[in-house]
Amino acid sequence: MTGPEGPSEFSAAVLAEFVKLGVRHVVVCPGSRSQALALAAAEFEQAGLVTLSVRIDERSAGFLALGIGVESSTPALVITTSGTAVANLLPAVLEAHHSGVPMIVVTADRPEALRGIGSNQTTAQRGMFGEFVRFAREVEAPSAGGFDPAYPGELAAATYLAATGLSGPSGPVHVNIAFAEPLSGTFDHAIFDDLTTDESAAAQNSSHLRVLETVTIPVAPNTVVVAGHGAGLVAEEVAHALGAPLLAEVSSGAHFGRNLVVAYRQLLGMADFGERVQRVIVFGHPTLSREVPQLIQRGGVETIVVRGSAAEEYNPGHCVSQFVDAVEVEGEGEGGVAAADPAWLGSWVSASRDLLADTVTVDLAHSRTDDAKAIREFTKAQLAVFRESVTRRMLVETVWQKTWPHDRLVFGSSRLIREADRVVVGKNIRVHANRGLAGIDGTIATATGIALASQLGNVTGGTAHGRTAHSNAAAGTTRVVLGDLAFLHDVGSLLTAPGEFSPRIQVIVGNDGGGTIFDSLEVAGTAEAQSFDRVLYTPQTVQLEQLALAYGWHYLRASNRGELDEALVSPRERTLIEVPLPR
C-alpha cells in the first residue's frame, strides 16, 4: 500500500468522500480508539461541511442518527470507539434494519495483532451486527504502512450506496476500522478545497438506485387499501384511484384524504364490512391492529403486498397472494379515479364518522346574544370544557389538532399511538414512530434527530457548532408523544452538548404511573394482581419536573384541557410537558 500515512489522514479522506456523496450529519461518541475520526469530524464541522452532534451514550447516538435518516432519507454517520460502545448501537441498528432507514455506522477497533489476547476494550467487532446490516467492511489499520489514495473513495461509495439501496432495501451499514498507535495526528486541510455542500452530488447518487417494476392492477369489488407504517403518499393515491376504503395507520404517511376510514378496526370486526372484503392492497408495515393480519389470513381474501424499504416482506400466516414493487391502477378515469362502486367506499366512510361522532361541542350562538342568562350559561360551559381532565383521547386529539405540515410528530410505542390510530381525523402531516420492531427504546433520541434534520435540513456552514442562524426558519416544532416508561427508558437523550444547535422540540409524557398498555392484554384478566403490577405494570413515581430541571429543559404540567392547549403553544425550544393520566 502506498500514499499518505496515519489515522488522521485516512479519517479525513474517508469523511471527505462521504461529504461528496451527500452526508451532512455526523454523530460522535467520545472514545480513545476513535479519536482520529472524531477530531476530523470536528474540523469538518468548523469548515462548514457537516453538522456535528456529540453524545456520551452510544444507544442515544444510534437513535439520533436513525431520526436524521428518517427525516432526510440520507444516512447520518455515527462514530464510536471499540468494545461495548459498538454493542450499544445494536438497538438502533435493528430498528434501522427492520424499518429500512439508511444509517452508516463507523466503529474503531484494535489492529489484528491486539485481538484475541485479552487486550483492554477489545472484543469480536467483526460481524457484530450479523444479518442486520446491508453491508459490512473490515478496514486494516491505516497507520501500518499508509493507504492507497483511491481506497477511501471506493470504501465510501460502496458503503453509501448499500445504505441508500443500490440493489436492495435501504438500511444500516457497518465499517469497522482498526487503528494502531499513534491514534491521531494532523491532516492536510487542503482536502477541504475540493469539497462543497452542493446537493447536486446527492441527487446524482440517487440515479444509481435500483429500478422497480410496476404491476398494473384492475379495479375489483370489495377492495380495501391498507397503509401500514411508512406506506407514504402512494397508498392514498392508489386508494383514491381504486375508489377503495383507505385503512391507514397514524404513522403511515397516508392518514388523510377523502377515502380515509379512521375507525377501521371496529368496522373490520363487523359482518357488513370486514367479512365482505375480497381483496387487500397493502403498503408499508401494519403493526397497530390485530384486525388487519386476521383479515389477510381469512379464507377467500386475495392480498397484494407492495414491497417497501423494510428488510422483511409483510406476510401474515404466509397468506399473501402476490408481492410487487409498485402498482398502478388499470383504467384510471377522469380525475385519476377508475370506475368503482361508490356505495362500497361511502358505506365505510359514513360508518366510521358515526362511530367517532361523540365529541364535545359548545353552542357558539350563546356567545353572540345579549341575553345575560345565556351568556352566563355559555361562559359556564366554556369553563367546564377548559377544566376538563385530560384523557388519552383528548391528549392525542389535541396534539394532532395543534400539529401542522411544517411540524413533525413522533409517537412512542405506548398506548397513546394506538389511541391516536383509533380516533384522529385525516390530516397530511409528517408522523413517525419506531415501528420496525416497535420497541420503546430511543424515542426521544429519534425525535431529536428528526427535529435536527427538519430544522437544519442539509444546511451547513459557519465556523462554530452553535449555528442557530442557519436553522430552517420554515420548519416548525417536533412533538414526541410517549408514555412514562418509554420516556424513562430514554431519559438520557434529554442531554445535549452545550453550544450545539437546539431544535424546537416538545416531549409530551402521558404519565399514568406505569405500563398501562399491559392492562389491555389478556394477561391482565388471568394474572395475580400484585405480581402483574410488579413485573408488567412496573409502577414508577419519578418526579419528571426534577428531571427536566437537571437536564436544562423547560417544564410544564397539563392536567386539564386548558393547560394542555396552552402548553402545546409554548415558544420554548426544549419543553417537557407532563400530562397526568388515570390508569
Side-chain angles (χ1 to χ4, degrees):
M1 301 175 71
T2 60
E5 296 183 2
S8 292
E9 288 281 2
F10 182 78
S11 298
V14 172
L15 284 175
E17 295 298 333
F18 279 125
V19 168
K20 290 178 184 177
L21 290 165
V23 171
R24 297 292 177 264
H25 294 266
V26 180
V27 185
V28 165
C29 295
S32 177
R33 189 62 51 169
S34 57
Q35 62 185 263
L37 288 163
L39 292 170
E43 295 198 48
F44 272 67
E45 179 195 39
Q46 291 178 22
L49 295 167
V50 298
T51 296
L52 178 62
S53 300
V54 179
R55 296 294 185 270
I56 62 172
D57 176 6
E58 288 83 9
R59 186 175 67 176
S60 178
F63 280 103
L64 181 73
L66 177 85
I68 292 169
V70 164
E71 174 65 28
S72 67
S73 299
T74 300
L77 220 64
V78 56
I79 295 170
T80 76
T81 190
S82 61
T84 58
V86 184
N88 280 318
L89 293 175
L90 182 58
V93 168
L94 285 170
E95 179 61 32
H97 166 72
H98 286 280
S99 294
V101 177
M103 178 193 298
I104 298 174
V105 172
V106 182
T107 58
D109 202 351
R110 261 60 174 176
E112 189 66 36
L114 295 180
R115 300 177 189 176
I117 61 171
S119 297
N120 188 37
Q121 287 188 313
T122 305
T123 188
Q125 293 179 199
R126 180 186 298 157
M128 180 176 285
F129 300 118
E131 63 185 270
F132 304 115
V133 289
R134 306 290 187 267
F135 169 91
R137 177 68 64 87
E138 187 79 7
V139 180
E140 295 178 3
S143 58
F147 60 90
D148 183 342
Y151 183 65
E154 183 273 327
L155 174 66
T159 303
Y160 186 89
L161 291 174
T164 53
L166 171 62
S167 58
S170 55
V173 296
H174 180 206
V175 177
N176 190 55
I177 306 177
F179 287 105
E181 296 179 351
L183 295 175
S184 65
T186 61
F187 64 88
D188 187 352
H189 288 190
I191 197 171
F192 296 149
D193 295 343
D194 296 329
L195 295 181
T196 175
T197 56
D198 182 1
E199 297 310 310
S200 60
Q204 290 172 1
N205 289 323
S206 65
S207 65
H208 296 290
L209 301 184
R210 59 197 174 106
V211 177
L212 303 181
E213 182 180 355
T214 299
V215 175
T216 300
I217 58 173
V219 173
N222 297 0
T223 294
V224 297
V225 173
V226 171
H229 173 70
L233 302 177
V234 65
E236 192 278 334
E237 294 168 356
V238 170
H240 179 62
L242 285 170
L246 174 61
L247 320 183
E249 293 185 349
V250 69
S251 65
S252 65
H255 193 84
F256 67 96
R258 69 192 77 177
N259 294 51
L260 179 65
V261 178
V262 175
Y264 69 91
R265 295 185 189 181
Q266 297 96 309
L267 296 181
L268 284 176
M270 298 180 183
D272 289 344
F273 297 94
E275 293 183 10
R276 292 178 59 194
V277 174
Q278 298 175 4
R279 185 176 69 166
V280 183
I281 315 295
V282 180
F283 295 84
H285 183 201
T287 65
L288 291 176
S289 75
R290 297 181 179 182
E291 290 82 2
V292 167
Q294 288 170 353
L295 169 66
I296 292 170
Q297 294 176 76
R298 201 186 73 213
V301 174
E302 176 194 9
T303 301
I304 300 172
V305 169
V306 182
R307 296 185 183 94
S309 58
E312 297 176 346
E313 293 178 334
Y314 182 70
N315 192 4
H318 300 280
C319 293
V320 171
S321 311
Q322 186 180 7
F323 295 94
V324 301
D325 287 328
V327 297
E328 64 180 18
V329 178
E330 184 180 81
E332 288 188 22
E334 184 177 351
V337 182
D341 179 10
W344 173 246
L345 171 62
S347 64
W348 282 77
V349 173
S350 177
S352 176
R353 288 173 179 167
D354 290 343
L355 286 170
L356 297 173
D358 56 337
T359 56
V360 177
T361 59
V362 176
D363 188 356
L364 296 179
H366 288 173
S367 67
R368 297 186 293 269
T369 180
D370 294 329
D371 183 86
K373 182 179 179 181
I375 292 175
R376 285 195 300 272
E377 291 298 321
F378 174 76
T379 302
K380 183 179 179 181
Q382 276 192 315
L383 188 59
V385 170
F386 183 90
R387 292 176 172 174
E388 186 180 0
S389 296
V390 179
T391 63
R392 290 177 183 82
R393 176 169 180 171
M394 183 194 301
L395 172 57
V396 296
E397 286 185 326
T398 304
V399 172
W400 190 261
Q401 181 187 21
K402 301 293 184 185
T403 303
W404 296 101
H406 62 286
D407 297 324
R408 299 292 183 265
L409 181 57
V410 180
F411 281 101
S413 293
S414 308
R415 284 183 67 178
L416 294 170
I417 188 173
R418 286 173 168 78
E419 186 68 23
D421 191 59
R422 277 192 288 264
V423 301
V424 296
V425 298
K427 199 175 190 181
N428 187 5
I429 56 179
R430 292 287 293 271
V431 181
H432 177 71
N434 286 338
R435 302 304 298 175
L437 285 182
I440 65 171
D441 22 5
T443 309
I444 298 170
T446 301
T448 303
I450 289 172
L452 284 172
S454 64
Q455 294 171 32
L456 279 176
N458 273 348
V459 177
T460 50
T463 57
H465 53 268
R467 279 198 294 274
T468 54
H470 295 273
S471 62
N472 184 355
T477 299
T478 296
R479 297 183 176 93
V480 52
V481 180
L482 71 173
D484 49 297
L485 295 189
F487 168 76
L488 292 173
H489 198 281
D490 196 33
V491 70
S493 292
L494 295 177
L495 180 64
T496 57
E500 288 187 0
F501 172 75
S502 183
R504 294 180 297 279
I505 184 169
Q506 294 178 340
V507 174
I508 304 157
V509 184
N511 191 355
D512 49 23
T516 61
I517 192 170
F518 296 106
D519 289 342
S520 62
L521 302 181
E522 290 84 350
V523 65
T526 60
E528 192 273 326
Q530 184 177 355
S531 298
F532 177 89
D533 281 4
R534 176 91 167 104
V535 300
L536 291 173
Y537 173 63
T538 51
Q540 58 79 26
T541 58
V542 177
Q543 299 300 308
L544 271 58
E545 182 175 7
Q546 300 304 313
L547 281 176
L549 177 65
Y551 284 103
W553 284 58
H554 183 58
Y555 171 85
L556 295 171
R557 181 181 172 91
S559 300
N560 58 44
R561 185 189 296 270
E563 291 173 347
L564 180 60
D565 281 338
E566 186 176 351
L568 291 175
V569 296
S570 169
R572 303 297 183 97
E573 287 180 342
R574 299 187 304 164
T575 303
L576 174 62
I577 302 173
E578 181 180 4
V579 182
L581 294 173
R583 179 172 181 185

